[in-house]
Amino acid sequence: MSLKDQALAVRENAYAPYSRFKVGAAIRSENGVVYTGCNVENVAYPEGTCAEAGAVAAMVAAGETRLSEVFVIADAPLPVSPCGGCRQKLSEFGAGDVAVTMANLDGVERTMTLAELMPGAFSETHLENT
Ligand code: THU
């Protein structure tokens, strides 16, 4: 199954009763394994988590910490764009040249690199004086 198909499939499991906005994310690790995640909302709204966060958590739980490709999909007029927090989470585990493809259900796709999505990311370099 392609990264897109895996993101589409996991999107079906999204728990989004409050926003009704289901998101699916699929991450390919540097070892070629695919990890998926969907958004999981909560009645205490700020406790909800994004699809990308779920996929990152699945990758790390499996013992991997480097990603090589990301695909995110939702039913939106424009390809779904990862939120700022998820851009930071993805940047923790992926190099600047990692491709992040954003898509909607109409087949519109846009690919950007992590560096383009997260210019000036807070990084380990900022901690070097500690
Ligand atoms: N959401 C994601 O899971 N990923 C994104 O890239 C954008 C937003 C979720 C969070 C919330 O459950 C719903 O979409 C509406 O914001």
Side-chain angles (χ1 to χ4, degrees):
M1 227 195 287
S2 68
L3 211 55
K4 176 180 183 172
D5 285 343
Q6 298 203 53
L8 260 178
V10 73
R11 179 182 168 274
E12 293 298 321
N13 297 334
Y15 178 75
Y18 307 107
S19 73
R20 308 214 171 277
F21 188 72
K22 292 182 162 203
V23 186
I27 288 175
R28 196 185 310 281
S29 73
E30 278 187 356
N31 290 333
V33 181
V34 175
Y35 300 95
T36 60
C38 57
N39 52 333
V40 181
E41 298 184 347
N42 192 282
V43 64
Y45 295 174
E47 297 304 325
T49 51
C50 288
E52 297 89 328
V56 164
M59 178 184 76
V60 175
E64 294 209 60
T65 54
R66 296 308 297 170
L67 55 86
S68 62
E69 201 181 345
V70 180
F71 198 104
V72 190
I73 193 161
D75 186 6
L78 297 168
V80 63
S81 181
C83 75
C86 285
R87 292 175 191 212
Q88 182 72 39
K89 287 182 177 75
L90 293 168
S91 298
E92 179 77 16
F93 303 106
D97 64 354
V98 162
V100 179
T101 299
M102 301 157 270
N104 67 13
L105 296 188
D106 300 323
V108 183
E109 293 184 10
R110 181 174 190 206
T111 301
M112 294 173 71
T113 65
L114 264 180
E116 287 169 335
L117 283 171
M118 194 67 186
F122 181 69
S123 69
E124 280 187 354
T125 311
H126 296 104
L127 299 180
E128 276 174 13
N129 288 354
T130 60

